[in-house]
Amino acid sequence: MQVSHLHKLILIENPRCANYSFADLISAQPLEGFARFATAADLKSGGGLPSELDGYTVAVIVRDPLHRFVSAVSLTTSKQADEFTPQEIADYGGKAFEDLALYLSDFTTLTSATEAAIEWLKTADEWPVIFKSQIDFLGGDPDLVLSINSLAEFANANRELGRGLPTLNFDFARMRQVQFIAREFSEPLNQLLIEDVTRLKTQPVWTRSPKVVATATGGGCGGCGKTVRPISPPGVD
């Protein structure tokens, strides 16, 4: 979880959704006392956010569930299981992540690892947090929901909030590979991720509803006082 005191904005980090890029855009830092991937339930059980953060805008980035799943597999197989640091293992899901990473280490391609991960998670008692439902991170009815595909556009529309587009450095070749593999496994992934797929088909996000931004910011940044005038973006997902 990240916080920008300058812009009075809290980012609930939905895994594999370009959180670092967005946090860099708004000059956010990790929120002390909260896990990196704290869910809405984690916040509730912990007594909620500190009182000094009352009035802050709560934001979450969402992503096509199939693409996000393959991206999580890509992270899990990015190195050998014993090469992840203790902090990474803790952040990504503890023993559940460590067990899955060890299992997937036998698969040499992202395609084969994705297929194996689907079968593994069908019967797993616990999913690593980086694979958990996006509903878990949306559960607190956040003020601002952004599609990962809208981040560059949001930065362009709200340049006064941060440093603009240069901070949003995506590996587009890798993203295309993820999308291709997600299409290849669309049928089993749609079944495995049915709750996310159903929810995100109707979840209002900034690209579909610019008023969400206007409501969340009140037409300006509550922290630094600069005027923010959201544009009406084209109808893209």
Side-chain angles (χ1 to χ4, degrees), residues 10-88:
I10 298 162
L11 176 64
I12 294 179
E13 293 191 67
N14 179 14
R16 311 311 296 157
C17 288
N19 297 292
Y20 276 140
S21 291
F22 188 70
D24 187 46
L25 174 69
I26 61 173
S27 302
Q29 300 293 328
L31 183 56
E32 188 175 349
F34 290 87
R36 178 179 172 188
F37 296 122
T39 64
D42 293 332
L43 291 180
K44 187 174 182 180
S45 64
L49 293 167
S51 58
E52 60 266 26
L53 301 182
D54 286 349
Y56 278 40
T57 296
V58 177
V60 179
I61 304 167
V62 294
R63 185 175 187 177
D64 179 1
L66 278 61
H67 298 171
R68 178 177 177 265
F69 183 95
V70 180
S71 178
V73 174
S74 177
L75 172 65
T76 308
T77 58
S78 61
K79 48 190 173 183
Q80 291 298 309
D82 59 1
E83 294 176 342
F84 287 99
T85 68
Q87 185 60 59
E88 287 173 330

Side-chain angles (χ1 to χ4, degrees), residues 1-196:
M1 188 173 298
Q2 305 264 352
V3 61
S4 170
H5 295 294
L6 174 62
H7 301 296
K8 294 188 176 180
L9 190 146
I10 298 162
L11 176 64
I12 294 179
E13 293 191 67
N14 179 14
R16 311 311 296 157
C17 288
N19 297 292
Y20 276 140
S21 291
F22 188 70
D24 187 46
L25 174 69
I26 61 173
S27 302
Q29 300 293 328
L31 183 56
E32 188 175 349
F34 290 87
R36 178 179 172 188
F37 296 122
T39 64
D42 293 332
L43 291 180
K44 187 174 182 180
S45 64
L49 293 167
S51 58
E52 60 266 26
L53 301 182
D54 286 349
Y56 278 40
T57 296
V58 177
V60 179
I61 304 167
V62 294
R63 185 175 187 177
D64 179 1
L66 278 61
H67 298 171
R68 178 177 177 265
F69 183 95
V70 180
S71 178
V73 174
S74 177
L75 172 65
T76 308
T77 58
S78 61
K79 48 190 173 183
Q80 291 298 309
D82 59 1
E83 294 176 342
F84 287 99
T85 68
Q87 185 60 59
E88 287 173 330
I89 292 171
D91 285 344
Y92 300 153
K95 189 176 185 303
F97 172 79
E98 197 169 17
D99 289 346
L100 180 58
L102 184 61
Y103 175 67
L104 294 183
S105 63
D106 290 335
F107 298 89
T108 58
T109 68
L110 183 55
T111 300
S112 62
T114 297
E115 184 174 22
I118 292 170
E119 295 304 314
W120 173 278
L121 293 171
K122 280 181 181 178
T123 58
D125 293 331
E126 180 183 1
W127 287 25
V129 69
I130 60 170
F131 288 90
K132 277 191 174 181
S133 170
Q134 296 182 73
I135 296 173
D136 291 341
F137 300 92
L138 287 166
D141 191 23
D143 304 303
L144 174 62
V145 180
L146 290 164
S147 160
I148 191 173
N149 296 331
S150 75
L151 291 184
E153 190 173 13
F154 180 84
N156 204 25
N158 298 278
R159 281 186 177 276
E160 292 171 338
L161 275 178
R163 293 185 292 278
L165 289 172
T167 64
L168 300 173
N169 297 318
F170 298 138
D171 184 343
F172 289 104
R174 190 65 167 174
M175 290 180 72
R176 284 192 292 271
Q177 182 191 24
V178 163
Q179 292 166 4
F180 177 82
I181 295 173
R183 284 196 300 271
E184 184 175 347
F185 292 102
S186 60
E187 184 173 345
L189 281 175
N190 272 300
Q191 294 175 2
L192 185 68
L193 307 172
I194 183 63
E195 291 186 355
D196 269 13

Side-chain angles (χ1 to χ4, degrees), residues 171-232:
D171 184 343
F172 289 104
R174 190 65 167 174
M175 290 180 72
R176 284 192 292 271
Q177 182 191 24
V178 163
Q179 292 166 4
F180 177 82
I181 295 173
R183 284 196 300 271
E184 184 175 347
F185 292 102
S186 60
E187 184 173 345
L189 281 175
N190 272 300
Q191 294 175 2
L192 185 68
L193 307 172
I194 183 63
E195 291 186 355
D196 269 13
V197 170
T198 302
R199 167 69 181 268
L200 292 180
K201 280 182 178 178
T202 59
Q203 173 65 50
V205 296
W206 180 75
T207 52
R208 293 185 183 143
S209 179
K211 291 181 180 179
V212 173
V213 177
T215 300
T217 63
C221 175
C224 65
K226 291 181 179 178
T227 300
V228 178
R229 302 184 183 280
I231 62 171
S232 295

